[in-house]
Structure formats: structure tokens, C-alpha cells
Amino acid sequence: METVTKPAATGTSAAPGGPIAVIAPAQDQIDGFHLVIDALKLNGIDTVFGLPGIPITDLTRMLQAEGLRMISFRHEQNAGYAASIAGYLTGKPGICLTVSAPGFLNGLTALANATTNCFPMILISGSSEREVVDLQQGDYEEMDQLAIARTLCKAAFRVLHAEDIGVGVARAIRAALSGRPGGVYLDLPAKLFAQSIPAEAGRRTLIEVVDPAPRQIPAADAVKRALDLLRGAKKPLILLGKGAAYARADADIRELIEKTGIPYLPMSMAKGLLPDIHAQSAAAARSYVLPEADVVLLIGARLNWLLSHGKGKTWGGKGHKDWGSQKFIQVDISPQEADSNVKIDAPVVGDIGSCVSALLAGIGANWPKPPAEWTNAIAERRDRNIAKMAQTLALDPAPMNFHSALNVVRDIVKSNPAAMLVNEGANALDFTRSIVDMYQPRKRIDVGTWGVMGIGMGFCVAAAVVTGEQVIAIEGDSAFGFSGMEVETICRYNLPVCVVVLNNNGVYRGTDVNPTGGPDVAPTVFVKGARYDMLMQAFGGVGVNATTTAELRAAMEEAIRSRRPTLINAVIDETAGTESGRITSLNPSTKKK
Ligand SMILES: Cc1ncc(C[n+]2csc(CCOP(=O)(O)OP(=O)(O)O)c2C)c(N)n1
Ligand SMILES: [Mg+2]
């Protein structure tokens, strides 16, 4: 308890004139720990993902004691990924709480990933003694965390005084949620937590953030310019990104697509915004529509590498740097996004909900449907590709391959459309994305903009905790390894998570050999026939080794029926994958002879 200076009160025996030292009664004082907790609570934060240790161990205990859900992980990176996707799924910043230096660094990958993916997240790290850190005198877990975090996130703040905690938390929330969402770092030095200030005055310093993600209404002339361009299109196309999914403008987006009759393509995490089986989905004719389209309306999708930067052969350009002939309309909350890769003819800047509703209003009742030649040509290719895929999916080879295993997953997701689908890997990712249809918005969460491995179990925990829905994770065996220890976390909190490891004995496949003939296996190869299912059993969950599609189907059905933590080791033909899945071309290689 702190010694504080108080005005003279009756019954004290201090020397006349001097300050009177009294031991403050606890109920009159509030400490830094509780100011942090109250600031979070005041702003509707009910869950924190983290890992205890100096100086935040007591904070994790007190968070729990004060009624927040404190989800403890085995590694901060996974807690960070959990927080980031909780932010995406709830529209409130996801909170990750870590210890100083190494814990902070472990959380930082997730913070940077959140920023890249525009997920609202706040990484709160305890830090060491400022005076000692700044003089580099060798403190316990010494590191200038604020300086390091600053380059990797949208904003970074440090709070030194208890009375500034309210402002620090408010600024972090605003920075994470407003405009283009992203990762925010909040540095809380150890000394802060023990500081006490008078309780009533302390509570008055807390801020309940008003309108943290303000609407940004697009300019009327920008909307008109976009609609004029779209109206004249012969081969229009709409591209939906995860920004569109994050915006929660589901009904308006669907209405825009259906009223205009324009074919659309969902990016990976926009799948399900409209059901993937929608008649206007051009997903199965992607390689046809991108180069052929004449006007492309991007909604919350950036022209980054995932869209071949809007140029090159994918878009009908002659060489890999050449632009195609299409014109672009880009709906984005960031005014800096337009022209990042190719010319944007009609930028529409504002929050996606407001922009889509403005476009919808401008479209009115008599919008001309796109020419039938365009929609028919797409439908023809789509139907042909879907029929071809159906044939492949119907095969049931032994051992299983990606297609036969994912055909099972496809059926299971179809009968459980509210389930969350987590997905990472290379082949395990690409095949799942193209084979497993999604039916509802924000159900598919994956490796995102970076194609990062390691999001798996963190995303599973967060998805289960914040949605309460069944979670199905489709994991490459390599991908799973990045966060595999969190199956203990899944068991500890008894979460309804069914992990399917598509086990092909390695990174991309299990067939590489060491060219020297030496005893080490090739760098992409793992222990053959590994039993990931036994890892789940070690913590009391259900582990199943599935070597046939029938076994896989039965195990998934049982996992969903029981809602018990389950890991299915799905044995996949080790020759089935390709190098880097669908992005083999990004692999640098010496010029072929
Ligand atoms: C953090 C991180 N490290 C490394 C990689 C490179 N990488 C891309 S996919 C992948 C694993 C692919 O193997 P697996 O998950 O087993 O999927 P498969 O293709 O075998 O189905 C790796 C290591 C990455 N994307 N992210
Ligand atoms: Mg693999």
C-alpha cells in the first residue's frame, strides 16, 4: 500500500504545519492495475488473450477477478493472433497482454500481421524500469519496446502515470478502430501498476470512447463518377475483399450485387459474404474474368500481390508489368490506397458501409443488367470448371489426397454453415479455399495478406471464445506445427474445436530427398507417419487417426456432435502437394538451363 500525502484529518498526530503521512484506506485509492481494468471494461472489452509473468501476472489475475475472460496461452504469438482475429470478428479491438522484452517480441509478429491485415488489435505489454532501460543499465528484460513497436503498427503509446491510463487506453482504442483498422501498441511500465491515486478522481480520468469508428461518408461526386463508369461497362466485375466482410454491410453488399446483376469474385476471407453457390459468383471462372473485365469495382480489396497488383498476364497485360485495359473503381476507407499499383479511375473514399449504401442509392431501380454475352460466357466456364472439379472430388483414392479429404470437409461445412473455418498451409490452404464453399459472412479466417503460417490454433481459440460456434480448422502439417502446443489451451478451456491436420509428411509434400545421400532428411520433410492426433489425446481431447474418407467423415461428424476438442490426423498421399501450392511462381529460382 502506498504512503500518500493527505490534508490534515482529525485524530492524526503529525507535527503542526507538515504534511501528514497516512496509510490510505484501500477503498479510497485505486491502483494502476484497476485503472487499466476499469478503462477496458468501460469500453466494452470483455476478453483478454495473453500470457502471465512479470510485471503483468497480477493484472491477469485481477482481470479474471473483475469478471473479464482472461484466456491464457502457451506462447504470446498465438495469443496475439487470437486477439487480432477477435478484433476482426467482433469489431472491437482484440487485446493481447504480454510480459516485457521476449514476451513483447513474441506478440509483435501478430501485431504487425494485424496491421497488414487491417485487424483492430491492441498489444499491451508490461515493460521494465524506464530509467534503467534508457541508460541501458541491464534491467530484467530490458528493451526499448515502444521504439521497436512503433515501426510495426498503426500507433504506439506509453503511459507513465496512473492518471493517464484512461487517455492511453482511449487513444489505443481509437487508433485501432478508426479509419483503416490496425494494430496498436500500448506500453505499460511495471511501476505504473502499483501507482495509486484517489479512487474517485482516478475514475474521472477514464474515457468511454464515443464513436470509435466514425462513419466516413463518400463525396457525392466520387460516387457519381464511379456509377457513370460502371453504367457504361460491357464486362463489369465486382471484387470483394475482407474489408467488405469486416464492414458488416452484408445486406447492402448483397443488394448491390443482385440489383446490378454484376458477376463478383470474393477474396479468401470475403467468401461467404454471399453464399459461394450464388449464381453471380465468378469464382470458378477467375482466370477468365480478370483479364476480360472492362470495369472492375473493388470493395474493400487492395490490388496487392494476391490480385497480381492489378496488372500482368492475370489482368490481360502482355508482360508481367504491363497493365491490362480495364478501368478500376476502388471503394476503400484509406484515401492513400488508390493508385498504389495501377491507375484507379474512380476512387470512392469512405467507410465501406456508407460507400456501398451511397452506390446503392445511386443505382436506383432501372439499372441495366450487364450484357448477356458476358454473364453467359462466365456461366459457361464456371459450369464447366465446376463439373470438372466434381469429377475429381468424386474419386476416392487410397491413400487420401487433398481433393478427397476436402470433399468431406466441403460436405461437413455445407451442413454446418454457421461453423467457423480456420485455414492455413500451402496446398492445404489453396485447395480448401477453392473446394470448400462458404455460406455465411466472416466464417472463413485464414493466413491473410501475408500468407503467414502460425495463425491456426490462436484463431481457433479466439473464434470459439468470441463466437461460441463450432470451429473447424483445416491445417497443413507444417502449418499446424507453428501453434500446435495450443491444443492444450483448446482442451483447458474445453473449446468446440475440430482440427484436421492434412498430413502429407512435410512442407508442400513429403517426398524430397537429401541430394547428398547423407543421414539428414531434406529440409521440407518431417517424421513420416507422425500421429498429431496423439498430441490432442495428451491433454484429454479426442484424437483420431483417419486413413480413409469414411473415417474422416465419421470423426468430423462426431466432433461436431460432441463439441469436444478433437484433432484428426488425416493421412494424405505424400506425393499429393505441389511446391508452394498455387504460388509456385513466386519462388525465386536460378534461370532454367
Ligand atoms: C511464418 C511463416 N514461415 C514460413 C512460411 C513459408 N511457408 C509457406 S506454406 C508453409 C508450410 C506448407 O506446408 P503445410 O502446412 O504442410 O501445407 P501443405 O502444402 O503440405 O499442405 C511454409 C513453411 C510462411 N508462410 N510463414
Ligand atoms: Mg504438409
Side-chain angles (χ1 to χ4, degrees):
M1 199 165 290
E2 282 230 326
T3 303
V4 295
T5 303
K6 280 201 149 184
T10 49
T12 54
S13 56
I20 300 164
V22 294
I23 302 301
Q27 61 266 35
D28 289 339
Q29 298 279 308
I30 185 164
D31 60 19
F33 288 114
H34 287 91
L35 284 164
V36 172
I37 293 166
D38 287 357
L40 294 174
K41 272 173 115 171
L42 186 63
N43 285 288
I45 305 287
D46 53 14
T47 306
V48 171
F49 305 92
L51 202 160
I54 294 172
I56 51 103
T57 315
D58 272 351
L59 183 57
T60 63
R61 293 191 181 110
M62 291 174 190
L63 280 160
Q64 189 171 57
E66 295 292 331
L68 279 89
R69 192 140 192 224
M70 178 68 224
I71 305 290
S72 268
F73 280 77
R74 306 300 295 261
H75 189 292
E76 291 89 348
Q77 189 174 104
N78 306 317
Y81 287 137
S84 70
I85 209 66
Y88 170 79
L89 292 172
T90 63
K92 290 189 284 187
I95 310 290
C96 176
L97 180 60
T98 75
V99 305
S100 343
F104 155 77
L105 287 172
N106 285 346
L108 208 51
T109 313
L111 187 69
N113 186 63
T115 307
T116 299
N117 282 279
C118 318
F119 298 151
M121 166 185 174
I122 303 173
L123 174 66
I124 302 179
S125 287
S127 59
S128 303
E129 198 77 47
R130 280 253 45 86
E131 293 83 342
V132 185
V133 172
D134 287 349
L135 279 169
Q136 299 181 20
Q137 294 175 304
D139 204 0
Y140 168 72
E141 299 194 343
E142 175 179 296
M143 175 172 275
D144 187 358
Q145 297 171 196
L146 186 68
I148 290 164
R150 217 184 273 291
T151 57
L152 294 168
C153 59
K154 200 179 158 192
F157 306 103
R158 173 157 53 223
V159 180
L160 292 176
H161 302 292
E163 57 268 35
D164 294 329
I165 286 172
V167 168
V169 170
R171 298 213 72 191
I173 290 172
R174 274 199 191 283
L177 286 178
S178 61
R180 176 175 280 179
V184 175
Y185 177 59
L186 187 61
D187 192 273
L188 303 182
K191 265 191 180 172
L192 180 75
F193 297 112
Q195 284 177 26
S196 285
I197 57 175
E200 214 192 298
R203 293 214 171 83
R204 278 203 304 273
T205 64
L206 301 183
I207 296 173
E208 184 179 359
V209 178
V210 177
D211 196 13
R215 306 238 96 176
Q216 292 181 28
I217 313 297
D221 58 340
V223 173
K224 181 175 182 305
R225 190 191 295 123
L227 287 175
D228 287 349
L229 185 55
L230 198 59
R231 196 177 287 112
K234 297 276 175 291
K235 298 175 172 182
L237 178 68
I238 294 176
L239 273 178
L240 301 174
K242 66 177 170 303
Y246 179 76
R248 291 166 178 71
D250 310 338
D252 275 1
I253 288 172
R254 186 170 185 150
E255 197 180 334
L256 179 79
I257 287 172
E258 291 182 343
K259 264 195 168 167
T260 58
I262 298 176
Y264 75 95
L265 275 182
M267 299 301 290
S268 191
M269 280 174 60
K271 275 167 70 74
L273 202 41
L274 286 82
D276 278 338
I277 51 172
H278 195 282
Q280 283 170 254
S281 171
R286 189 180 193 270
S287 59
Y288 172 70
V289 292
L290 292 183
E292 284 291 323
D294 61 354
V295 176
V296 179
L297 166 57
L298 301 159
I299 303 180
R302 293 169 287 184
L303 284 176
N304 57 23
W305 71 278
L306 287 158
L307 283 170
S308 308
H309 306 281
K311 59 193 166 194
K313 294 207 168 123
T314 309
W315 291 89
K318 288 198 187 66
H320 81 284
K321 286 234 163 200
D322 293 323
W323 297 5
S325 52
Q326 45 283 104
K327 294 194 180 303
F328 288 101
I329 302 164
Q330 184 159 33
V331 175
D332 201 285
I333 198 157
S334 167
Q336 294 178 46
E337 184 57 37
D339 305 330
S340 57
N341 284 277
V342 294
K343 181 181 178 190
I344 300 299
D345 302 273
V348 181
V349 176
D351 71 276
I352 287 173
S354 300
C355 291
V356 171
S357 89
L359 290 170
L360 207 45
I363 273 163
N366 304 316
W367 186 267
K369 293 270 158 356
E373 293 126 70
W374 175 231
T375 47
N376 289 345
I378 296 170
E380 193 186 301
R381 277 163 180 89
R382 185 195 60 209
D383 294 348
R384 203 188 311 141
N385 289 339
I386 289 177
K388 211 157 78 189
M389 178 61 98
Q391 279 178 0
T392 315
L393 292 177
L395 302 175
D396 195 6
M400 288 188 282
N401 61 16
F402 286 100
H403 289 90
S404 65
L406 288 168
N407 188 40
V408 172
V409 177
R410 175 185 161 93
D411 290 346
I412 301 275
V413 170
K414 188 175 183 185
S415 358
N416 298 277
M420 297 293 308
L421 185 75
V422 174
N423 190 200
E424 61 176 336
N427 296 279
L429 176 88
D430 293 336
F431 285 122
T432 304
R433 189 178 54 240
S434 59
I435 292 170
V436 178
D437 290 328
M438 303 305 297
Y439 299 87
Q440 295 179 13
R442 292 173 298 282
K443 294 299 183 184
R444 185 186 155 86
I445 47 181
D446 64 30
V447 300
T449 311
W450 269 350
V452 66
M453 297 299 112
I455 48 90
M457 297 307 104
F459 275 20
C460 284
V461 170
V465 165
V466 303
T467 72
E469 299 287 357
Q470 174 69 43
V471 179
I472 298 168
I474 307 301
E475 300 274 312
D477 51 330
S478 165
F480 173 72
F482 287 73
S483 65
M485 194 65 200
E486 301 296 347
V487 297
E488 189 276 331
T489 310
I490 290 168
C491 289
R492 185 166 15 108
Y493 293 102
N494 195 24
L495 299 173
V497 174
C498 172
V499 181
V500 178
V501 176
L502 297 178
N503 187 357
N504 62 352
N505 292 343
V507 177
Y508 312 135
R509 57 180 170 256
T511 51
D512 274 14
V513 288
N514 178 345
T516 70
D520 291 350
V521 296
T524 54
V525 168
F526 295 150
V527 166
K528 305 256 182 202
R531 292 286 303 275
Y532 294 99
D533 50 312
M534 294 170 86
L535 207 53
M536 190 60 111
Q537 289 170 353
F539 304 107
V542 178
V544 179
N545 188 49
T547 57
T548 66
T549 50
E551 287 168 358
L552 175 59
R553 191 179 298 272
M556 288 190 78
E557 282 171 352
E558 176 54 20
I560 289 167
R561 194 202 57 73
S562 71
R563 286 175 65 89
R564 287 187 65 195
T566 300
L567 193 151
I568 304 164
N569 183 60
V571 180
I572 303 291
D573 182 353
E574 67 172 6
T575 67
T578 59
E579 178 94 4
S580 310
R582 291 267 171 86
I583 53 174
T584 313
S585 61
L586 298 183
N587 237 356
S589 59
T590 44
K591 285 224 162 56
K592 300 246 161 28
K593 287 197 191 91

